[in-house]
Amino acid sequence: MRLPDRETIAQMREVYRPGTRVELLRMDDQQAPPIGTLGTVRGVDDTGSIMVAWDGGGSLSVLFGVDECRKVGG
């Protein structure tokens, strides 16, 4: 897995601010919530992973370059 540069991480932090709502599109993890699960972003870490509190109770991060989510709502 290739890590993003600082500029990419800064852009991601602008797009995925804490409180942003997201929908899970793909996650390569046996413990992943079901596709379509909604969650609230807690932040973006230094590896570009989006830290999410999933509505179902989990808190797995969306890994940069591996998993996928999209913003929902405003």
Side-chain angles (χ1 to χ4, degrees), residues 2 11 13 16 25 32 46-47 51 61 67-68 71:
R2 191 170 147 221
Q11 291 171 349
R13 287 181 172 151
Y16 295 102
L25 300 178
D46 291 339
T47 67
M51 300 176 291
S61 294
D67 304 324
E68 188 177 354
K71 285 177 62 171

Side-chain angles (χ1 to χ4, degrees), residues 46-74:
D46 291 339
T47 67
S49 293
I50 303 167
M51 300 176 291
V52 180
W54 298 106
D55 289 358
S59 60
L60 287 175
S61 294
V62 178
L63 301 180
F64 178 83
V66 177
D67 304 324
E68 188 177 354
C69 69
R70 70 173 183 94
K71 285 177 62 171
V72 296

